[in-house]
Amino acid sequence: MCGIMGYVGSRSAPQVLLEGLKRLEYRGYDSAGIALFLDQHFVLKKSEGRLENVERLFQSESKRLEKATCGIGHTRWATHGKPTTQNAHPHQTGHVVLVHNGIIENYLEIKRDLLSRGHRPNSETDSELFGFLVLESMGSGKSLEAAVRESFAKIRGQCSVVVMSEREPGVVVGVRNGSPLVVARDPQGGVFFASDAQPLLPFSQDVIFLDHGDLAIATDQSLRIVDLQSGEVVHRESSHLEWSLEQIDKAGFPHYMLKEIHEQPGALIDTLNGLVDRDGFEPFTLADQPGVALLRQAKELVLVACGTSWHAALLGKYWLESWAKIPVSVDLASEFRYRNPVIRPGTLVVGISQSGETADTLAVLRDMRSRNIPCLGISNVRRSSISRDTDAVFYTSAGPEIGVAATKTFLAQVLTLLVIAGFLSREHKTLSSAELSRLFEDVIRLPHVLAEGLEHDSEMMKKIEETVNQLTLNGDAASAVKGFFFMGRGYSFPIALEGALKLKEIAYDHAEGYAAGELKHGPIAMLDAAMVAVVLAPRDAWREKTGSNLEEVKARGAKVVGVGESADDQLSHLCDFWIPLPVESRKLDPALLPFLLAPVVQLLSYRRAVLKGTDVDKPRNLAKSVTVE
Ligand code: M6R
């Protein structure tokens, strides 16, 4: 989604803005731009495509432009209007310039009014219209701050804006009204604005997450935050970020995605430590937090999410139902919100979103809360919007995830659901203490088993590489590959869905995830030698049945990539390629095998994408947090 940077202070604004925007590139964008205040006027540099195009525009006048100490920048992900230079932000309207993230829902109405008053927008965006409103308001004698407040009262929709005016040199005004906006004081004097905390890290680790309805007014000497509606000053505490710069750099990996896949054992350990009370004697004791009371009261759970987070929810259902015996339904947020679902008394709605900003998931939670239905969130981003729309949030501790493809945040969500299932099983006495202790011991061992599998010379890693190389580079076989089926049963089914999503997302291959038993109800007709079937067949309760499905796909001539135990001679001999998991299932409860299968499908997709030469961390048409419907 769109990224925002703003700065006023004593540093060179183009350097600050470009560095910040680079750190926001992971969110996905299709055009970019910067506006600097220099010699009493704005200088705008915008371009469609990559940020490098904007950087290039600076080159011929870099000496002059570097003197600017105030400006705003933006990376745009098109919603209203094509991804062109003309539609790129910042938008200048007379003496006003702005960047915007989110949507102005009543833009048609506003546009009609503006046209009838003789204004002529230059772009097709909803964002530019806000500049006309501010211009009109300042024209009637209002300050920039007052004009922004007055203009905001005229628009509907979740968004954030950062605005400057040539009439008030050195003043930058930012509003958070839904989409996130973060500010930080510059230790050298001045203030930074950004749509996300991590681009501010090179400059300051103490940041203020603005609340919904906050307006921040910054100069090189001051920062004031007021309530958008009343104009009264509000106090916001700053948060000290523990994230180090090292954590958000690639640490020697060629891509963030690969680094984040390798960070999964650490993400599991940190998430577990953040959730459970390790000093308690009972396994699966949740550390004291508000969400615990909500879980205790719940008679039924409804899990809502989108994309990869929805796959985490599907997986969580297995543990929650089979261990804790609590009824669970799982829904896609974009479907749930328009379906008038029946919610029984005692239901707890759980919204799962790594970013905490996904528009559809938030809309469901807002709607449920307006009906007095208790809501819990699971998110990786502290103080993200989900905290506003729920009664309590369980935070995963996967650290910042920069690659657009979710990897470590997925495993952290899945672990959170597993821990909740363990906790409820103890509360409901549906599992014995001995069973819970055994499971918990395995959960503690799990990150170490995964870390072994991810060692670069492990059998698992070698076989993944070999398999993808042959399927992608090996002459006829590779060029004949038309598409992929990922299949699995039980716990492996959501991982099959996730494998197919990952492959589509970053390698742009046609891929489908299927419950292995469903293949014969239609899709088996597609199988021939040009199709690859990735069969997830670990030694668990479903292995025999999955084995039969594997034979069915083999008989149709598809190339078969099997994933299971190294010692599974029976299945491995049937497959063209066999990827061994780093542990035998008797050494780990089979319920935990999805934690080992997920990195395999992530790495298969990663390797395939790299060999195909796609932009792995910033796949086309996608955004890291989908803040629009
Ligand atoms: O931030 P969220 O978890 O709410 O995001 C939901 C989806 O947009 C996200 O999982 C998407 O499918 C990922 N890019 C998948 O890798």
Side-chain angles (χ1 to χ4, degrees):
M1 293 287 107
C2 304
I4 288 180
M5 268 304 285
Y7 178 66
V8 52
S10 54
R11 304 182 198 235
S12 163
Q15 282 175 19
V16 169
L17 298 175
L18 282 168
E19 181 169 351
L21 290 178
K22 277 184 197 152
R23 291 185 186 276
L24 287 170
E25 280 187 302
Y26 75 94
R27 295 163 68 102
Y29 70 105
D30 43 49
S31 53
I34 279 179
L36 301 171
F37 183 72
L38 191 68
D39 302 332
Q40 304 310 309
H41 295 291
F42 291 128
V43 180
L44 264 72
K45 301 286 177 194
K46 317 200 283 188
S47 171
E48 60 188 65
R50 293 287 175 205
L51 197 55
E52 290 94 83
N53 300 346
V54 177
E55 250 177 319
R56 234 170 274 129
L57 297 174
F58 274 86
Q59 274 158 12
S60 58
E61 337 170 48
S62 61
K63 278 233 144 38
R64 184 174 84 89
L65 298 181
E66 267 167 23
K67 292 194 189 114
T69 55
C70 177
I72 53 181
H74 191 263
T75 48
R76 173 171 186 255
W77 193 81
T79 53
H80 295 68
K82 292 177 281 301
T84 58
T85 300
Q86 199 170 23
N87 288 336
H89 299 215
H91 289 289
Q92 181 165 10
T93 312
H95 56 83
V96 174
V97 72
L98 66 87
V99 290
H100 168 240
N101 182 6
I103 285 183
I104 298 177
E105 283 169 7
N106 55 337
Y107 82 103
L108 280 176
E109 196 183 299
I110 292 176
K111 190 166 186 173
R112 213 175 22 243
D113 288 354
L114 288 170
L115 290 174
S116 73
R117 293 200 291 275
H119 295 297
R120 292 290 168 264
N122 285 314
S123 73
E124 302 160 310
T125 66
D126 52 345
S127 316
E128 187 193 359
L129 306 180
F130 190 79
F132 283 100
L133 297 179
V134 176
L135 193 72
E136 281 190 336
S137 186
M138 288 185 81
S140 68
K142 297 223 160 43
S143 66
L144 176 61
E145 174 184 340
V148 168
R149 286 184 48 218
E150 186 174 81
S151 306
F152 239 96
K154 296 180 183 159
I155 64 168
R156 282 199 314 274
Q158 304 280 307
C159 59
S160 52
V161 289
V162 180
V163 196
M164 303 191 296
S165 162
E166 285 167 353
R167 299 252 168 101
E168 293 190 25
V171 179
V172 183
V173 169
V175 178
R176 176 185 184 177
N177 195 40
S179 308
L181 194 64
V182 184
V183 291
R185 289 191 171 83
D186 183 355
Q188 298 179 17
V191 176
F192 302 97
F193 287 79
S195 47
D196 194 327
Q198 55 98 1
L200 302 183
L201 280 179
F203 310 110
S204 170
Q205 285 194 284
D206 294 302
V207 303
I208 299 170
F209 292 89
L210 294 180
D211 270 2
H212 180 66
D214 280 356
L215 181 145
I217 308 103
T219 69
D220 59 353
Q221 302 291 324
S222 65
L223 170 65
R224 195 159 47 85
I225 303 174
V226 301
D227 179 82
L228 185 60
Q229 277 180 5
S230 68
E232 276 167 27
V233 172
V234 290
H235 178 73
R236 300 283 173 241
E237 292 291 336
S238 66
S239 310
H240 184 73
L241 297 177
E242 299 298 343
W243 301 349
S244 64
L245 263 183
E246 208 175 65
Q247 267 183 302
I248 59 168
D249 284 336
K250 287 189 200 148
F253 286 94
H255 297 100
Y256 282 112
M257 183 180 174
L258 187 62
K259 173 185 170 246
E260 287 156 5
I261 290 173
H262 282 268
E263 283 173 343
Q264 292 184 109
L268 291 177
I269 294 172
D270 291 346
T271 298
L272 191 66
N273 287 341
L275 287 172
V276 301
D277 176 2
R278 297 291 283 271
D279 297 332
F281 294 107
E282 295 288 339
F284 296 106
T285 310
L286 286 173
D288 198 20
Q289 39 188 322
V292 176
L294 292 176
L295 286 174
R296 281 201 175 104
Q297 286 152 14
K299 295 194 172 61
E300 185 172 331
L301 300 177
V302 172
L303 312 182
V304 285
C306 304
T308 289
S309 299
W310 179 65
H311 298 155
L314 289 173
L315 195 44
K317 178 180 163 82
Y318 284 84
W319 300 309
L320 287 160
E321 290 195 336
S322 67
W323 296 355
K325 309 289 179 221
I326 184 165
V328 179
S329 55
V330 177
D331 234 302
L332 288 164
S334 55
E335 287 298 311
F336 188 87
R337 70 183 283 198
Y338 295 114
R339 213 187 53 219
N340 290 325
V342 177
I343 308 283
R344 282 186 284 250
T347 299
L348 174 65
V349 175
V350 185
I352 308 173
S353 168
Q354 65 79 22
S355 62
E357 301 294 348
T358 298
D360 283 317
T361 310
L362 295 184
V364 168
L365 295 169
R366 259 196 303 276
D367 179 37
M368 291 296 113
R369 288 243 289 174
S370 72
R371 292 160 59 178
N372 290 325
I373 295 160
C375 289
L376 184 71
I378 297 180
S379 177
N380 194 47
V381 183
R382 274 133 189 92
R383 310 279 307 264
S384 54
S385 299
I386 203 167
S387 59
R388 205 184 58 227
D389 295 324
T390 48
D391 299 287
V393 183
F394 283 117
Y395 288 107
T396 54
S397 306
E401 187 174 73
I402 310 294
V404 164
T407 53
K408 60 178 180 169
T409 54
F410 170 66
L411 275 203
Q413 289 169 338
V414 167
L415 179 67
T416 304
L417 290 165
L418 179 140
V419 169
I420 290 176
F423 167 77
L424 289 176
S425 312
R426 203 160 52 77
E427 291 282 311
H428 299 174
K429 302 194 180 2
T430 46
L431 289 183
S432 67
S433 296
E435 281 169 311
L436 284 167
S437 300
R438 189 186 47 76
L439 277 170
F440 195 61
E441 276 167 27
D442 278 4
V443 170
I444 291 172
R445 279 194 316 111
L446 177 65
H448 307 283
V449 176
L450 177 55
E452 272 172 41
L454 290 171
E455 295 279 340
H456 84 279
D457 56 351
S458 75
E459 263 319 282
M460 179 179 106
M461 295 300 272
K462 281 197 264 184
K463 290 291 179 199
I464 290 173
E465 187 166 339
E466 246 174 69
T467 304
V468 184
N469 286 359
Q470 291 211 30
L471 288 174
T472 315
L473 302 172
N474 204 6
D476 287 350
S479 49
V481 172
K482 270 195 330 221
F484 292 76
F485 268 100
F486 285 74
M487 43 196 275
R489 282 172 181 253
Y491 301 126
S492 303
F493 167 46
I495 303 293
L497 293 174
E498 177 61 5
L501 176 66
K502 283 281 143 317
L503 198 66
K504 284 186 272 214
E505 191 176 17
I506 59 167
Y508 315 150
D509 277 304
H510 178 74
E512 297 197 40
Y514 254 90
E518 271 294 297
L519 231 69
K520 62 172 84 64
H521 299 289
I524 202 162
M526 289 182 69
L527 293 182
D528 60 20
M531 297 296 280
V532 178
V534 181
V535 186
L536 307 178
R539 227 189 263 277
D540 57 17
W542 295 273
R543 178 193 162 280
E544 294 304 317
K545 300 245 176 272
T546 311
S548 312
N549 301 134
L550 192 155
E551 301 221 33
E552 287 160 11
V553 297
K554 179 81 191 152
R556 269 65 188 185
K559 289 184 196 66
V560 182
V561 179
V563 188
E565 260 177 44
S566 59
D568 196 337
D569 293 337
Q570 192 199 349
L571 289 191
S572 61
H573 284 119
L574 290 172
C575 297
D576 300 280
F577 307 93
W578 183 255
I579 298 170
L581 295 174
V583 71
E584 290 167 33
S585 56
R586 71 189 148 74
K587 296 198 180 133
L588 197 68
D589 192 285
L592 303 185
L593 293 174
F595 289 91
L596 305 180
L597 291 169
V600 173
V601 298
Q602 293 164 354
L603 285 160
L604 283 172
S605 307
Y606 171 78
R607 183 86 196 137
R608 172 101 174 149
V610 169
L611 293 183
K612 289 181 77 176
T614 65
D615 195 346
V616 175
D617 285 331
K618 288 171 262 159
R620 67 187 179 203
N621 307 337
L622 292 178
K624 183 69 185 165
S625 45
V626 185
T627 52
V628 292
E629 198 180 329

